Amino acid sequence: MAMTQSNTAIFSRPESMQSTVTHYCPGCTHGVIHRLVAEAIDEIGARDRTVGVAPVGCSVLAYNYFNCDFLEAAHGRAPAFATGFKRLRPDMIVFTYQGDGDLASIGMGEIVHAANRGEKFTTIFVNNAVYGMTGGQMAPTTLPGQVTSTCPVGRNANEVGYPIRMAELLSTLVTPGYIERVAVHTPKHIINARKAIRRAFQYQAENRCYSMIEVLSTCPTNWGKTPEEAVKWLDKEMAAYYPIKCFKDSVREGNK
Amino acid sequence: MARILMKGNEAIAEAAIRAGAEGYFCYPITPQSEVAEYLAKRMPEVGGVFLQGESEVAVGNMLFGAASTGKRVFTTSSSPGISLMQEAISYIAGAHLPVVFVNIMRAGPGLGGILPAQSDYFQSVKGGGHGDYRLLVLAPSTVQEAVDLMMLAFDLADKYLNPVMVIGDGLIGQMMEAVEFPDSDPKQNRVNLEERKWAATGAKGRDPVIIKSLFLDPLELEENSLLMDKKYEQMKKEEVRYELYKVSAKNELLVVSYGTVARICQTVIDELESEGVSVGLFRPITLFPFPEKEIYREAKKKNIKTVLTVEMSTGQMVEDVERAIIGAKPVKFFGRTGGIVPNPEEIQGKVLELIGSMKKRSTSSRKRK
């Protein structure tokens, strides 16, 4: 048996990620999603021509994790920010990374119009049904009956309406090319999420269309659950309200 | 290039093209929509970006992103639209990015009206958005000066990596005057991205560029604010601009006025001169930095009894004039607002009232309404 060859690395940190200590809570899936995005950027070979646009929320510090140029937008405005950037630099790869308070509440106008214009960037929409950074307040995505610090007896849909399904909402627009909802709470879901995120970046590299990948994510801290309970709650409750599926892929459907 | 007759809004648009602007983002609003209409045709001719956004909130943030590329970008709007851009302006200032904003002011508050006003002085000069920041504010009084200041605005935004606001009252946008543009290829003035080390051009052979305004460590945030303050101090030393009109040792009164109102004041001063009354005009061109020392220098001259500030507002710049003069002379104010442009007679009436020369002047038209 030849032992002269050194061990071959079969798993390593993507080039588009930095080596750093996480600030995310135990059981939070932001870290997994960051990695999937970094892998996608590596795979299309675009690290040195990619800019990420951070939201306001837990992932405002995303630039501490990615090894590419990173820009910090105002709350909810990442799609407008990314529009301005990408229009002037169509040769670069641009992605926004936004939470549900950022994208589905204060930034609703910006996301709808950027998607509707078919801006050629990619949105990674991390939906954990709560405002994370500010301490677990009700988001537009909070499930009916879900308890948060600003709906202490549970979200009352008669008073504040039902949660907004962003992937479905954007799919009603003619222009956006690729919209899929994925999750990262099991290995199988991670593999599918990886494919979807990779596909979205690939479409951008080919200058095809606007893409949004909605990722269902856990927030054990603000859900008041252990990481294990959080995974179960996502699987049972969130996935029931937010179907995990591809809503639109105009490229594969042959429309782009 | 020959002199041509051009509407202010269109001249502002063309000046930005000549200054090498590569991106323009906008939202329609009276009385400046002609800028957008002009650039919708003109930007594509020079290979630049024209985009009509969904709101002024979005437009401000598009500029934030666009400026991060390192290229020259700008917008034009009018008062209520500029209010909506304050969020982005604060972020752009905090992130040290160069963007040129143009406010063709209409009367406020609220929806107000669509006629000319100067009631956004406080908003432009004193802040508007949150945080310790300043805008470099330029105020043209003619269409030609609007062209010249637009060219300058891009240079100053680049020099200081700070947003610059050009404020013109509605008249600047709407009137037609003869203008001359410098003979230059619009592409000549475009920036060389390789020289812009702060711009997000891709982390090729260098560490990632981070453009941000969040500093959770208070010492870092203070450091950022102090760095900004240093720029503002430098502006005060190097960028003060103003114009004097018929200022002399004989002046009995000094008028301080900016924008098109200053031109009306010139008419008043000419008229008074022919009647043997000596009045001088001090016209600030930069509203920030404000020509404090220079106004003080003129106001403290022996013969000057009173300083009169004339504005299309209920009195905003007058506070800076008072601050500049620090009690050396009485500072009085005359203004019309709501979209009303003051006529020479009413300004003249105020001047004469102040210098106690009302005697023997019987024409009722000269009396203040």
Side-chain angles (χ1 to χ4, degrees):
Chain A
M1 203 154 71
M3 294 295 287
T4 49
Q5 293 292 309
S6 58
N7 293 337
T8 311
I10 57 165
F11 189 80
S12 61
R13 175 166 49 84
E15 202 195 346
S16 298
M17 287 215 90
Q18 298 194 28
S19 172
T20 186
V21 176
T22 187
H23 82 291
Y24 293 115
C25 302
C28 164
T29 42
H30 264 307
V32 176
I33 303 163
H34 281 14
R35 184 185 168 96
L36 298 182
V37 171
E39 286 177 353
I41 296 167
D42 279 9
E43 283 172 25
I44 62 165
R47 188 196 68 81
D48 58 8
R49 59 185 178 96
T50 292
V51 296
V53 182
V56 174
C58 290
S59 48
V60 65
L61 299 171
Y63 48 77
N64 288 334
Y65 301 93
F66 287 94
N67 185 22
C68 62
D69 285 359
F70 231 91
L71 317 168
E72 179 194 273
H75 196 22
R77 317 289 178 227
F81 189 110
T83 295
F85 194 98
K86 182 81 183 188
R87 289 267 172 162
L88 280 143
R89 288 302 303 269
D91 54 323
M92 289 181 73
I93 299 293
V94 179
F95 71 97
T96 68
Y97 189 105
Q98 304 177 256
D100 42 303
D102 191 85
L103 181 141
S105 188
I106 196 166
M108 179 60 97
E110 285 74 16
I111 191 66
V112 169
H113 284 278
N116 192 53
R117 286 189 301 264
E119 299 296 342
K120 303 285 194 303
F121 64 81
T122 304
T123 296
I124 306 299
F125 169 43
V126 180
N127 178 2
N128 61 11
V130 78
Y131 279 86
M133 192 194 221
T134 45
Q137 294 81 15
M138 183 181 70
T141 44
T142 296
L143 294 185
Q146 184 186 341
V147 171
T148 75
S149 60
T150 51
C151 51
V153 294
R155 180 183 184 127
N156 179 353
N158 290 329
E159 239 174 52
V160 297
Y162 284 85
I164 299 173
R165 295 181 175 110
M166 284 306 301
E168 286 85 336
L169 190 150
L170 294 185
S171 299
T172 64
L173 303 172
V174 177
T175 327
Y178 176 41
I179 294 169
E180 180 157 353
R181 183 182 290 122
V182 298
V184 289
H185 61 298
T186 68
K188 184 183 161 214
H189 281 293
I190 291 173
I191 290 167
N192 286 337
R194 188 177 189 280
K195 284 184 196 152
I197 291 170
R198 161 69 204 258
R199 182 171 294 130
F201 276 90
Q202 185 67 38
Y203 287 171
Q204 184 180 169
E206 293 164 3
N207 199 33
R208 286 179 184 273
C209 60
Y210 172 78
S211 302
M212 184 191 78
I213 306 301
E214 176 174 341
V215 188
L216 300 184
S217 185
T218 53
C219 185
T221 301
N222 288 308
W223 291 354
K225 299 186 190 314
T226 65
E228 196 186 353
E229 287 166 353
V231 163
K232 284 180 183 154
W233 190 80
L234 188 153
D235 198 60
K236 187 164 173 276
E237 305 293 337
M238 270 188 91
Y241 189 87
Y242 297 111
I244 295 168
K245 61 178 226 181
C246 178
F247 291 88
K248 193 174 187 187
D249 186 339
S250 306
V251 178
R252 277 194 292 182
E253 288 154 15
N255 299 331
K256 293 265 172 182
Chain B
M1 188 176 162
R3 275 157 70 83
I4 51 172
L5 187 66
M6 214 168 177
K7 194 170 189 173
N9 281 333
E10 294 182 344
I12 284 168
E14 183 59 28
I17 296 278
R18 303 293 174 108
E22 291 182 72
Y24 173 75
F25 299 84
C26 63
Y27 187 85
I29 184 168
T30 307
Q32 62 75 56
S33 296
E34 294 89 349
V35 185
E37 289 164 356
Y38 184 89
L39 288 169
K41 295 191 203 90
R42 185 75 172 109
M43 264 298 184
E45 285 174 8
V46 295
V49 170
F50 169 91
L51 187 65
Q52 182 174 325
E54 65 269 30
S55 69
E56 286 94 346
V57 172
V59 164
N61 286 285
M62 286 172 183
L63 288 162
F64 186 12
S68 303
T69 65
K71 297 184 181 183
R72 288 185 157 182
V73 296
F74 78 115
T75 189
T76 59
S77 186
S78 183
S79 312
I82 296 288
S83 292
L84 285 173
M85 292 180 189
Q86 295 303 323
E87 171 190 66
I89 290 173
S90 168
Y91 279 75
I92 290 165
H96 302 270
L97 293 175
V99 177
V100 174
F101 291 85
V102 179
N103 181 3
I104 299 298
M105 292 180 284
R106 54 188 258 182
L111 206 47
I114 58 169
L115 294 174
Q118 295 180 320
S119 42
D120 301 342
Y121 180 93
F122 285 153
Q123 184 195 52
S124 316
V125 173
K126 305 296 179 188
H130 60 284
D132 269 331
Y133 77 90
R134 298 288 192 153
L135 301 175
L136 207 156
V137 184
L138 304 170
S141 74
T142 65
V143 174
Q144 180 66 57
E145 193 178 33
V147 167
D148 299 341
L149 291 182
M150 278 303 287
M151 311 281 292
L152 177 68
F154 283 98
D155 289 343
L156 293 178
D158 282 348
K159 177 177 173 183
Y160 291 98
L161 297 182
N162 197 73
V164 173
M165 179 72 76
V166 178
I167 63 172
D169 46 73
L171 286 165
I172 289 286
Q174 290 300 319
M175 67 185 165
M176 290 182 88
E177 288 191 299
V179 284
E180 202 168 350
F181 291 94
D183 271 322
S184 72
D185 172 0
K187 290 182 181 172
Q188 242 172 29
N189 283 329
R190 291 189 178 175
V191 295
N192 177 2
L193 288 185
E194 280 173 21
E195 290 167 5
R196 307 212 133 188
K197 303 296 178 202
W198 51 266
T201 52
K204 187 176 247 168
R206 60 155 171 76
D207 287 338
V209 161
I210 310 296
I211 294 179
K212 61 168 189 165
S213 62
L214 177 74
F215 300 92
L216 289 173
D217 177 345
L219 285 173
E220 278 184 36
L221 180 56
E222 187 185 45
E223 194 183 327
N224 189 52
S225 292
L226 292 176
L227 178 62
M228 292 167 71
D229 192 53
K230 214 171 140 186
K231 298 196 290 191
Y232 307 141
E233 288 305 315
Q234 190 188 344
M235 289 175 195
K236 287 178 190 172
K237 285 194 189 85
E238 297 177 20
E239 309 305 340
V240 169
R241 287 168 171 81
Y242 60 94
E243 187 184 55
L244 301 177
Y245 183 75
K246 296 196 173 164
V247 163
S248 77
K250 289 186 290 180
N251 293 158
E252 294 177 68
L253 182 141
L254 183 70
V255 170
V256 184
S257 190
Y258 71 99
T260 49
V261 180
R263 296 172 71 175
I264 302 167
C265 292
Q266 287 184 1
T267 305
V268 172
I269 287 167
D270 291 347
E271 173 70 17
L272 287 168
E273 189 184 41
S274 69
E275 296 178 21
V277 181
S278 176
V279 174
L281 170 71
F282 191 107
R283 179 172 72 87
I285 296 170
T286 51
L287 301 181
F288 183 88
F290 194 68
E292 294 168 25
K293 292 189 192 94
E294 295 76 9
I295 288 180
Y296 178 71
R297 183 191 68 210
E298 299 304 329
K300 72 175 182 184
K301 283 181 180 165
K302 210 174 157 193
N303 275 354
I304 303 256
K305 294 179 188 70
T306 303
V307 175
L308 173 65
T309 304
V310 185
E311 299 175 54
M312 282 195 280
S313 78
T314 53
Q316 299 195 11
M317 180 180 73
V318 64
E319 292 189 7
D320 279 338
V321 175
E322 282 169 345
R323 203 166 49 84
I325 290 172
I326 43 176
K329 295 285 164 72
V331 176
K332 302 292 178 186
F333 174 75
F334 180 78
R336 295 300 302 263
T337 191
I340 294 168
V341 179
N343 63 42
E345 290 74 21
E346 57 190 337
I347 297 172
Q348 188 168 327
K350 181 69 181 177
V351 171
L352 292 174
E353 175 197 314
L354 286 172
I355 57 181
S357 304
M358 292 296 281
K359 57 187 186 266
K360 293 174 205 154
R361 291 181 194 279
S362 52
T363 11
S364 60
S365 67
R366 290 205 180 103
K367 282 182 189 151
R368 191 186 165 201
K369 281 171 195 156

